Amino acid sequence: MSIPTSHRPAREWLLLLIALAVVAVVVAPLWQLMGSPESRAELEARWTRDRLAKLFLGFEQVLCYVCAAWAVLILQSRFREVLAQRRAFALDLLPTEEGARILPEDARPLGRKLEQVTAGRPLVLANLVRLGLGKFAVSKSATDVAEVVRNQADVEMSRMVTGMSTVHYLAWAIPAIGFVGTVRGLGGAFGAEATDIAEFTRQAKDQLKVAFDCTLVALVLSLVLMYLVHAVQRAEESLVTDAQQYCQEHLLLRLYSGGEGE
């Protein structure tokens, strides 16, 4: 099914590249004029292998990686399911010829044909069409069919939202784990024991690094994961919306019961 021009999605990645280019053109000269970039030697001295290991391989960071990987695998499976569901739009579910009409006596044969074409697979589009045809065979009312299609679309959307509950929990758990690491680091900083002020300051700084490292990694992972969640949710919502549009064009507008005004 072709998507109307007014419904085509914006080219977000192209717009992102344009935004990056505009920001780079503005910021790069300002960095050169106002900034004092560190030399390579200074960067290497600051970001040693031990420092990077503490930043990325702390206990809380590893837990965040586990949650993020779990969530990404779930999102990948859901996105692949969306792609599989979209293949239903290419199937011969309903007559699409110009001027074709669906009579009440055609509903059950079309329903049997739909079952054969889909081979019993749980497809969102097929569910909407099957329930609509079944209702039309009984009530012979296009209004009733529209109500059934709308209600089933709401059910499919609710099912998709419910299926994302684990991912939403993981997206919440990642910054929460980072906050646990932050509290642990701050507690260690205030509880540092040393014989002199210099040793105390060193221990407190090490613990504060732990605290802020956990927060940094957790927030970055959370930002990336929330974008992926948004992308998959949008794909699922678009799937249901396009299925409703398909039913509107190829089912509801073709129903004919033979009465006046139909």
Side-chain angles (χ1 to χ4, degrees), residues 1 4 22 28 48 63 70 75 85 94 104 112 114 117 129 134 143 146 151 160 172 189 198 230 234 248 251 257 260:
M1 182 185 66
V22 171
T48 62
L63 288 180
W70 186 10
L75 292 173
Q85 291 279 347
L94 292 171
R112 289 191 292 268
L114 183 145
V117 171
V129 174
T143 303
N151 291 339
M160 291 179 177
W172 167 85
H230 164 74
R234 183 172 61 180
Q248 176 74 16
L251 177 62
S257 63
E260 294 184 2

Side-chain angles (χ1 to χ4, degrees), residues 14-28:
L14 177 60
L15 297 177
L16 173 61
L17 294 177
I18 294 175
L20 290 175
V22 171
V23 172
V25 169
V26 174
V27 172

Side-chain angles (χ1 to χ4, degrees), residues 12-174:
E12 296 179 350
W13 289 105
L14 177 60
L15 297 177
L16 173 61
L17 294 177
I18 294 175
L20 290 175
V22 171
V23 172
V25 169
V26 174
V27 172
L30 295 177
W31 272 350
Q32 295 178 352
L33 292 175
M34 304 174 61
S36 55
E38 297 175 320
S39 65
R40 182 175 180 180
E42 291 174 336
L43 288 175
E44 291 179 352
R46 174 175 297 183
W47 296 103
T48 62
R49 180 178 299 180
D50 181 66
R51 179 70 186 92
L52 292 174
K54 291 181 179 179
L55 173 61
F56 294 110
L57 299 178
F59 178 74
E60 286 80 7
Q61 288 90 318
V62 172
L63 288 180
C64 290
Y65 298 150
V66 172
C67 292
W70 186 10
V72 169
L73 290 175
I74 296 175
L75 292 173
Q76 181 190 30
S77 66
R78 294 183 68 88
F79 187 72
R80 292 175 60 185
E81 176 63 20
V82 171
L83 296 180
Q85 291 279 347
R86 283 203 166 272
R87 298 191 187 102
F89 290 96
L91 299 178
D92 185 21
L93 303 179
L94 292 171
T96 57
E97 300 83 7
E98 185 69 25
R101 288 187 174 184
I102 300 176
L103 302 176
E105 55 267 27
D106 298 329
R108 297 196 185 281
L110 285 174
R112 289 191 292 268
K113 175 187 174 183
L114 183 145
E115 292 295 338
Q116 295 175 355
V117 171
T118 61
R121 288 174 292 174
L123 301 174
V124 172
L125 178 60
N127 287 340
L128 267 62
V129 174
R130 183 179 64 255
L131 292 175
L133 290 173
K135 186 64 176 179
F136 188 56
V138 174
S139 69
K140 301 180 177 59
S141 170
T143 303
D144 292 344
V145 175
E147 183 69 18
V148 167
V149 170
R150 182 166 55 251
N151 291 339
Q152 182 61 25
D154 292 339
V155 170
E156 297 291 348
M157 187 69 70
S158 298
R159 183 180 293 114
M160 291 179 177
V161 171
T162 302
M164 292 288 283
S165 58
T166 300
V167 178
H168 285 298
Y169 169 77
L170 293 173
W172 167 85
I174 289 175

Side-chain angles (χ1 to χ4, degrees), residues 195-213:
T195 57
D196 54 48
I197 187 63
E199 181 66 16
F200 176 83
T201 303
R202 186 190 65 79
Q203 293 181 10
K205 288 175 62 177
D206 290 340
Q207 293 297 322
L208 289 175
K209 288 179 181 178
V210 171
F212 295 123
D213 289 349

